[in-house]
Amino acid sequence: MDVHVRRTVPITFEMVAKAYNKVKQGGKASGIDGESWNAFEEKGVEKQLYVIWNRLSSGSYYPQAVRQVEIPKKNGKMRKLGIPTLRDRIAQEVVKHYMEKKLDQRFHDNSYGYRPMKSAHDALDAVRRNTLVKDWVVELDIKSFFDEIDHELMLRAVEFVHEEKWVAMYVKRWLEMKIEGVDGIKYSREGRGTPQGGVISPLLANLFLHFTLDLWLNKHYPEVSFVRYADDIVIHCEYEEEAKAILQAVRERLQEVKLRLNEEKSRLVYCKDYRRTEQYPDVQFDFLGFSFQPRAVQSKKEPGTSFTGFVAGISKDSQVKIRTALRELINRHTLPLDTPSLATRLNPKLRGWINYYGWNGTKQLRSLTVYLDCILIHWLKRKHKTGWRRACLNYRHIRTRQPALFYHWTTPYSPNPYELTRAV
């Protein structure tokens, strides 16, 4: 090891090693250098981590350009993601972890996204509680938020909370990373944006919105409640006029910090239920994959009766995504697999969906598991080249002998196999 390099940054080799172990659990996509985790490890993990540490701790680490990829959005348009190299992800994780220890205690209690000890379910619980007591919701959407964060304002926020100059230095370098488009041409960010896909980007987004929105709302509108998960934001108000005033004030505030409100997706929503019965055009909003809207709720005090509550369920967009993913996982291309291999491929997805949407999506999850088992029966029919009756018998036989083979069979959301096959 080179002991003559001057260490100007308080980053240790242990910090880099921990960052590597954490980042490796995430995405496997390569950056512009095409380096995979296997290729990285073949060169010697300790040796490669030492190179990263050596450069980070001496202040001489410079990131490479970000590889831009496009993924489809639900509205048919494309979302641009920035994929840093594996080495840049490790370096970002080191600085992110260092910053987070000081930053997280500053953040507002109503900020839930990408924070230790806070989750999407915590945010959803807060929204559910607020809709019980507040009649109106201001549903906010910031247009191209990650692409339009102003670098000057971002760095001012970083320098305000971190006196160490090296922190701002590295943040500045990551903000200014060039982007390599799908055409292979590199171009500059021109003072705006942070790559949506970068390890440090969610923390920077939280810091930016902490100063530009959270503290601003707390200071000027302490009477309202809000819930923020990264750039997904809902504000709860008591009265329609209050909600209208808040929406206009937020519109003007975003302009002050060089952001824009997405007018098509930002609106006022009335939380209609059995107590709140006035007629308004918008009585539903989506948040973190769930749709809050008037629904029939079974009464606990009077079994067999129901009332209208303003409650959450899995959103239609989320249901479509799950059904599409199931069709991609179970089709003619997977016919060569045996049933246990198919279950091995499917179960991680099922576990993730059920654990997340089980928060308050019982009815929709049951519908989705019925759909899943119908696909499985169709798959068995095609695999064994039988009729429907024989495929249903095969399905029942598998469930009887291996009741825990597919994860959803072990949950309360799974359909009764005999009722299902009779219906099919």
Side-chain angles (χ1 to χ4, degrees):
M1 291 187 179
D2 186 358
V3 296
H4 302 292
V5 176
R6 183 184 176 191
R7 309 296 176 196
T8 60
V9 176
I11 290 176
T12 66
F13 181 82
E14 289 72 23
M15 292 165 67
V16 177
K18 287 181 179 178
Y20 159 74
N21 288 326
K22 183 171 182 180
V23 170
K24 191 183 174 185
Q25 299 172 11
K28 298 180 181 179
S30 301
I32 63 166
D33 59 359
E35 186 177 41
S36 66
W37 285 118
N38 287 337
F40 180 88
E41 291 164 355
E42 286 173 359
K43 298 172 186 175
V45 173
E46 186 173 354
K47 180 180 178 181
Q48 300 309 308
L49 294 183
Y50 174 75
V51 172
I52 296 172
W53 168 63
N54 190 32
R55 292 175 181 171
L56 277 174
S57 61
S58 63
S60 61
Y61 187 92
Y62 283 87
Q64 293 182 268
V66 172
R67 180 172 69 90
Q68 188 176 87
V69 298
E70 295 183 344
I71 60 173
K73 299 167 68 173
K74 61 185 179 183
N75 60 5
K77 297 181 180 180
M78 303 300 289
R79 182 190 304 277
K80 295 178 180 180
L81 296 181
I83 310 297
T85 65
L86 304 186
R87 295 165 189 268
D88 284 335
R89 277 180 249 173
I90 295 170
Q92 286 187 27
E93 176 60 33
V94 172
V95 179
K96 175 206 159 205
H97 182 71
Y98 184 89
M99 293 176 65
E100 201 168 49
K101 289 187 291 185
K102 178 179 288 188
L103 278 181
D104 193 69
Q105 59 187 341
R106 284 176 169 268
F107 289 154
H108 199 286
D109 288 342
N110 294 345
S111 169
Y112 293 89
Y114 307 105
R115 294 184 60 189
M117 309 305 293
K118 284 182 177 281
S119 70
H121 286 172
D122 294 331
L124 288 161
D125 279 330
V127 171
R128 177 166 55 185
R129 291 193 300 269
N130 289 339
T131 55
L132 288 174
V133 296
K134 304 264 187 171
D135 293 359
W136 289 88
V137 160
V138 181
E139 184 181 15
L140 294 178
D141 186 87
I142 301 175
K143 192 174 183 66
S144 305
F145 171 66
F146 281 90
D147 294 332
E148 297 194 2
I149 290 178
D150 183 76
H151 288 182
E152 181 182 353
L153 293 176
M154 183 77 261
L155 288 170
R156 281 168 56 185
V158 172
E159 290 167 356
F160 182 81
V161 296
H162 281 282
E163 296 178 358
E164 302 98 320
K165 293 183 179 180
W166 67 268
V167 174
M169 174 187 71
Y170 278 132
V171 170
K172 185 172 187 291
R173 289 178 188 176
W174 281 313
L175 289 174
E176 294 176 348
M177 285 188 299
K178 288 191 175 182
I179 302 169
E180 184 178 287
V182 293
D183 54 5
I185 298 175
K186 293 186 178 70
Y187 58 94
S188 172
R189 292 188 175 279
E190 300 181 347
R192 294 188 307 168
T194 179
Q196 191 171 358
V199 173
I200 203 169
S201 295
L203 179 65
L204 297 180
N206 269 341
L207 177 60
F208 193 89
L209 289 174
H210 169 71
F211 283 110
T212 60
L213 198 60
D214 299 356
L215 294 184
W216 177 82
L217 280 169
N218 214 42
K219 178 180 179 180
H220 297 283
Y221 300 94
E223 68 279 4
V224 305
S225 304
F226 72 92
V227 177
R228 183 173 67 78
Y229 193 95
D231 61 328
D232 289 321
I233 309 154
V234 291
I235 302 175
H236 302 266
C237 304
E238 289 191 27
Y239 308 106
E240 182 182 12
E241 291 306 315
E242 180 184 48
K244 288 180 179 178
I246 290 286
L247 181 58
Q248 178 59 29
V250 169
R251 181 182 290 111
E252 294 171 0
R253 173 59 176 170
L254 290 179
Q255 291 174 355
E256 291 175 4
V257 296
K258 303 180 182 180
L259 292 174
R260 295 176 293 162
L261 196 67
N262 187 331
E263 300 291 350
E264 293 180 1
K265 296 182 179 180
S266 300
R267 60 205 176 100
L268 307 185
V269 177
Y270 180 60
C271 302
K272 186 175 182 179
D273 60 13
Y274 75 97
R275 301 166 299 143
R276 300 173 286 205
T277 58
E278 295 182 46
Q279 299 299 315
Y280 289 96
D282 291 318
V283 292
Q284 174 267 327
F285 68 93
D286 289 355
F287 186 64
L288 302 182
F290 286 85
S291 174
F292 288 79
Q293 64 186 73
R295 302 177 192 269
V297 178
Q298 297 300 314
S299 174
K300 294 181 180 179
K301 295 182 179 180
E302 300 180 27
T305 63
S306 63
F307 62 92
T308 300
F310 192 81
V311 295
I314 306 176
S315 71
K316 289 183 179 180
D317 286 336
S318 297
Q319 293 181 59
V320 169
K321 286 180 181 178
I322 292 173
R323 288 172 185 257
T324 301
L326 289 173
R327 290 194 299 271
E328 291 173 351
L329 289 165
I330 311 170
N331 53 39
R332 60 185 179 84
H333 299 295
T334 56
L335 289 176
L337 296 176
D338 58 19
T339 310
S341 297
L342 180 66
T344 299
R345 178 177 294 192
L346 198 59
N347 281 339
K349 290 280 190 182
L350 296 178
R351 189 174 291 108
W353 288 327
I354 290 172
N355 289 345
Y356 182 72
Y357 290 109
W359 174 78
N360 207 56
T362 300
K363 182 178 180 181
Q364 295 82 17
L365 274 178
R366 285 176 180 160
S367 175
L368 288 168
T369 57
V370 168
Y371 179 77
L372 167 57
D373 278 7
C374 287
I375 295 179
L376 286 173
I377 293 171
H378 183 68
W379 182 82
L380 289 169
K381 173 180 176 292
R382 296 183 69 180
K383 181 176 179 62
H384 299 292
K385 298 178 181 179
T386 65
W388 278 106
R389 184 173 180 276
R390 186 64 198 173
C392 290
L393 290 174
N394 285 340
Y395 162 81
R396 282 196 225 165
H397 180 69
I398 293 170
R399 281 200 66 169
T400 302
R401 295 191 62 183
Q402 299 174 281
L405 181 61
F406 288 92
Y407 178 75
H408 69 291
W409 289 352
T410 67
T411 71
Y413 312 110
S414 181
N416 182 301
Y418 292 94
E419 292 181 3
L420 175 66
T421 50
R422 280 198 295 270
V424 171

